[in-house]
Amino acid sequence: MSGDPSLYSLCVKTVTEMITNGYDHLQDVLELPPDLLDNLVMNLPPLALQTLHEMLNDGCIGGYRTDNAIHGKKRGRYEYFNMGWNKLFNKRWPDAKKIEPIRYMTTDESAEVCNSVNCTADWQQLYWEKHLQECLDGAAETALLPGFYGHIGELTISDSIIYSIDSPRSMIDECMKLSYHCNRFGCYARCLRLQNVLCSGETCELLKESKLQKLTFVRIKSKTQVDGVCMLLNHHRETLWSLEFIHCLLYPTIMNQICNSMSKEESVIHGIRCFSIKSSPISESKSSSISSGLLSLLSSGGSLASLCFYDTRMQPKFAKMIFDTLLGSSCGLVTLEISDNNLTGWLSQIEEKSTNFSSLLGSEMSMKSLKVLDLRGNNFHKDDAKDLCSILARLPNLRSIDISDNPITDEGIRYLIPYFVKALEKASPLLNIKIENCNLSGMGVIELLRSLPPLKEPLNMLSLADNHLGCSVAATLAKFLGNSCVKELNLEDIELGASGFQELEELMPRETALSSINISKNRGGIRTAHLLSRLISQAPNLVAINAGANIMPPESVPIIQDALKQSKGNLERLDLTGNSQLCLSNYTSVLQEFCHHGKPIVIYPSPPVSGTPYDDDP
């Protein structure tokens, strides 16, 4: 029968059970002929492969491989084991995001702060780290129940997680507990996200063998939880370089306690490179004080490269204190985000002619290293835009700026035009500009685009999304596509309409440098398909297009089909979601034929629900 197991699969199953149950002669397995051992490695479940892997590594420490332990034949054998772990990882988490093999800070000219060095990923480490995160998340769900009063380490791991590493029938009862997984696999953990209920002295003990580099804490609010956070930070302060707080209460006294726990012995200097506070208040509503510990952390962080304050209910005077502290620090800050904080008038407090501002920005101890600035959603108005200009002019290495969700209007953008002109003419020019939802009109954007000079270096990204520009901006946009060599353009919901699409199509340059464009939510109708046809044929580097929610009729499908036939094969994604009428075309199925490396290019819209009247209102 076709369903009967093969002799080989029965052998693998037997060896697996022997390994898992503590076979006394595991060295015999490692002495198998290379082809048999390699095939066995590629077919073992995770727990059995882990046991065998530990046997291979004479120099393992608590189950964790050390580079000095692998050489000669062992180096080659490890590489094959690594392939086995890669296979297991992709099988268990097929939709996992791109993995960073090595996690430490580097900087480059593209203004990215955290980059991975080109080297082989340690899939064993990545596998057990992600496994342990699942165990901790499951434990947190149970521990959050009102009736839970036991020890965190005694919590039972779910059957689904156990089945993913081995068959429960072959595991002893001790393996079902969280403590087993922390003790066995905790040494592989480098990046963890901990819910508030897990922040305790017990968890610190469970993770004592970990060499944590990145910690994210969620919903820290009580004193007990804060004490647990401090214990964890103090224990891992030698290896920790990234720290993030989400939905926490970080009032001054709490922040002081947390910051003090990170100080190394006999020194206030810390090794934190990425520090982030998101959706967490840093001051009480009626208090006028800010954490001295936080300011000390910012001033003493010689390695600090990325800083984020998102939705922290920051007051303008606090923003000024933080900015002044950064100006006086010796850190080489690369990325700064202060967003969603309602800081109207903050920038006016940093006067261009003030002694402190001028001297610090003119010295080496400043933010001259800053490459990414995110000021999204701070309720800046036109006057704030004017004040921003004097600050931006003194950031010579800035490569990316985001001032979206600030109602600066056309008057505000006019204040910023001289800065954009100069910033794009520099030897190291501005590469990324986001001006989304800033209450701009077509007139203001036309003035901006016409003012920009021919670029020495292609503009990486420009986003004008969610501004009501209208069709009048189409001709200027077409000319800009030719002059700027922009790679990524976001025109989502700018009210181009069918006439704007038609004009953009007719005036588009013969060839553009576009690699990605978003023209969604513009009510382009059939003209959307014609514009897509021109884009596909005249943008040879185009990889991604978002044309969703444009009220495209069924007649659009043959036009898109013809365009895809003429494509040079670089297009990877064409998003047509939100155009439900396309499903009524008799030719929709033919779009499924177009693939890139085996994956469909076209992302289809959902069909209209039967009986629901068609409404073209967005």
Side-chain angles (χ1 to χ4, degrees):
M1 294 176 62
S2 59
D4 292 338
S6 65
L7 177 60
Y8 179 76
S9 65
L10 289 174
C11 290
V12 170
K13 181 178 179 182
T14 301
V15 173
T16 298
E17 292 179 354
M18 291 169 56
I19 295 173
T20 304
N21 293 328
Y23 179 53
D24 294 333
H25 304 286
L26 282 180
Q27 190 63 37
D28 295 343
V29 178
L30 294 175
E31 296 299 328
L32 287 171
D35 56 337
L36 289 179
L37 181 56
D38 290 344
N39 279 318
L40 180 65
V41 165
M42 298 301 289
N43 288 279
L44 285 175
L47 195 58
L49 183 60
Q50 174 66 17
T51 303
L52 197 62
H53 202 157
E54 289 173 355
M55 279 293 301
L56 177 69
N57 300 330
D58 296 334
C60 66
I61 301 173
Y64 185 68
R65 177 183 62 82
T66 59
D67 290 336
N68 293 331
I70 300 173
H71 54 275
K73 290 184 179 180
K74 287 189 177 183
R75 169 61 65 185
R77 184 64 58 217
Y78 165 72
E79 290 173 357
Y80 211 85
F81 269 73
N82 203 37
M83 291 170 60
W85 287 114
N86 188 4
K87 178 182 176 181
L88 289 171
F89 188 98
N90 291 325
K91 180 181 178 181
R92 184 171 173 185
W93 300 289
D95 300 323
K97 294 181 179 179
K98 184 179 179 182
I99 296 299
E100 295 181 12
I102 298 295
R103 300 184 180 96
Y104 57 83
M105 300 289 298
T106 61
T107 58
D108 60 21
E109 291 304 316
S110 64
E112 295 178 359
V113 177
C114 296
N115 297 315
S116 298
V117 173
N118 289 328
C119 62
T120 303
D122 187 341
W123 289 102
Q124 181 188 27
Q125 183 265 317
L126 293 168
Y127 184 93
W128 291 121
E129 178 180 80
K130 193 167 179 64
H131 166 81
L132 186 60
Q133 183 67 67
E134 285 193 353
C135 293
L136 291 169
D137 290 343
E141 290 182 9
T142 303
L144 283 168
L145 296 175
F148 175 75
Y149 295 102
H151 292 286
I152 292 173
E154 297 296 313
L155 289 171
T156 302
I157 303 301
S158 68
D159 288 345
S160 62
I161 293 179
I162 297 297
Y163 270 115
S164 67
I165 62 171
D166 204 1
S167 172
R169 63 182 177 81
S170 65
M171 299 183 70
I172 59 176
D173 291 342
E174 192 68 22
C175 299
M176 303 294 184
K177 297 180 181 179
L178 176 64
S179 58
Y180 168 84
H181 294 263
C182 289
N183 293 331
R184 182 83 188 269
F185 311 119
C187 55
Y188 294 95
R190 298 294 175 268
C191 305
L192 289 179
R193 177 186 175 102
L194 298 178
Q195 296 285 338
N196 54 5
V197 72
L198 297 181
C199 295
S200 65
E202 184 182 355
T203 301
C204 187
E205 180 66 21
L206 289 172
L207 298 175
K208 65 181 180 180
E209 297 300 326
S210 302
K211 295 180 175 60
L212 293 175
Q213 298 172 359
K214 181 178 181 180
L215 268 173
T216 298
F217 295 105
V218 183
R219 300 189 185 282
I220 306 300
K221 296 181 179 180
S222 71
K223 183 182 184 303
T224 302
Q225 294 162 4
V226 173
D227 291 341
V229 168
C230 291
M231 280 187 278
L232 282 161
L233 293 178
N234 186 265
H235 185 79
H236 297 282
R237 65 181 185 273
E238 296 295 333
T239 57
L240 196 66
W241 61 257
S242 179
L243 184 59
E244 183 175 28
F245 295 92
I246 302 176
H247 296 298
C248 301
L249 290 179
L250 301 176
Y251 297 147
T253 53
I254 295 174
M255 199 73 239
N256 288 341
Q257 185 179 348
I258 290 173
C259 292
N260 291 335
S261 69
M262 287 188 289
S263 299
K264 298 179 182 179
E265 294 181 6
E266 300 179 357
S267 174
V268 295
I269 303 297
H270 59 82
I272 299 298
R273 306 173 201 176
C274 298
F275 185 75
S276 178
I277 300 178
K278 298 180 179 179
S279 301
S280 306
I282 61 173
S283 65
E284 299 176 79
S285 57
K286 296 182 179 180
S287 174
S288 59
S289 63
I290 188 172
S291 167
S292 59
L294 175 59
L295 296 179
S296 176
L297 181 142
L298 299 181
S299 63
S300 61
S303 302
L304 192 63
S306 177
L307 181 63
C308 172
F309 292 99
Y310 166 78
D311 186 22
T312 60
R313 301 180 193 173
M314 185 185 296
Q315 300 177 31
K317 58 183 177 182
F318 292 168
K320 182 181 184 299
M321 293 173 68
I322 288 172
F323 195 82
D324 288 344
T325 301
L326 291 172
L327 288 173
S329 73
S330 60
C331 68
L333 199 65
V334 177
T335 298
L336 174 62
E337 177 183 349
I338 300 180
S339 59
D340 280 39
N341 280 295
N342 192 18
L343 296 174
T344 305
W346 159 46
L347 298 173
S348 65
Q349 298 178 26
I350 309 173
E351 297 181 7
E352 179 180 359
K353 295 182 180 180
S354 71
T355 304
N356 182 49
F357 185 73
S358 298
S359 60
L360 287 175
L361 279 175
S363 71
E364 293 301 320
M365 297 178 64
S366 68
M367 290 196 296
K368 286 184 177 180
S369 57
L370 195 68
K371 292 185 177 181
V372 181
L373 180 62
D374 186 344
L375 298 174
R376 176 186 289 264
N378 284 313
N379 199 27
F380 289 158
H381 292 76
K382 61 179 182 179
D383 292 334
D384 296 292
K386 183 179 181 181
D387 296 324
L388 179 61
C389 289
S390 60
I391 297 175
L392 294 176
R394 288 175 167 79
L395 303 177
N397 292 306
L398 197 65
R399 309 302 296 276
S400 180
I401 183 169
D402 188 349
I403 53 172
S404 303
D405 301 327
N406 288 297
I408 62 174
T409 68
D410 289 351
E411 292 183 64
I413 206 65
R414 289 190 184 101
Y415 286 129
L416 289 166
I417 285 176
Y419 165 73
F420 286 131
V421 172
K422 290 183 179 179
L424 293 170
E425 290 178 331
K426 295 185 303 182
S428 298
L430 196 64
L431 294 178
N432 303 298
I433 303 172
K434 287 187 178 182
I435 320 173
E436 303 171 0
N437 189 30
C438 287
N439 289 2
L440 305 182
S441 71
M443 184 178 299
V445 170
I446 288 171
E447 188 173 343
L448 168 66
L449 297 181
R450 285 178 177 175
S451 301
L452 299 182
L455 304 183
K456 299 176 182 178
E457 186 175 339
L459 188 63
N460 187 58
M461 188 269 294
L462 173 66
S463 181
L464 300 168
D466 301 314
N467 289 293
H468 299 169
L469 308 182
C471 61
S472 63
V473 77
T476 306
L477 278 172
K479 186 176 181 181
F480 174 77
L481 283 174
N483 293 338
S484 66
C485 296
V486 63
K487 296 178 181 178
E488 182 179 342
L489 184 62
N490 188 350
L491 303 176
E492 178 181 355
D493 194 15
I494 63 169
E495 298 187 354
L496 275 175
S499 58
F501 273 28
Q502 181 175 357
E503 189 170 7
L504 186 57
E505 172 206 345
E506 292 173 350
L507 298 177
M508 183 177 296
R510 292 184 178 181
E511 187 170 309
T512 75
L514 281 172
S515 62
S516 174
I517 187 169
N518 186 344
I519 52 173
S520 62
K521 301 180 182 179
N522 276 293
R523 302 165 66 87
I526 189 68
R527 301 310 311 183
T528 308
H530 290 289
L531 178 59
L532 288 177
S533 180
R534 291 291 296 275
L535 284 168
I536 292 172
S537 63
Q538 296 179 199
N541 300 318
L542 197 58
V543 173
I545 304 175
N546 186 346
N550 270 303
I551 323 174
M552 299 172 70
E555 296 78 22
S556 303
V557 174
I559 301 172
I560 297 172
Q561 179 190 1
D562 291 341
L564 291 174
K565 286 181 179 179
Q566 299 173 22
S567 172
K568 297 181 180 180
N570 291 324
L571 190 63
E572 298 178 11
R573 180 184 176 89
L574 173 57
D575 190 343
L576 299 176
T577 54
N579 295 290
S580 58
Q581 295 300 301
L582 293 180
C583 298
L584 303 179
S585 172
N586 296 326
Y587 303 97
T588 303
S589 59
V590 301
L591 297 181
Q592 298 175 358
E593 302 172 4
F594 299 99
C595 296
H596 182 85
H597 295 323
K599 294 184 178 180
I601 291 175
V602 180
I603 310 299
Y604 290 95
S606 301
V609 181
S610 178
T612 302
Y614 176 64
D615 184 4
D616 70 351
D617 220 14

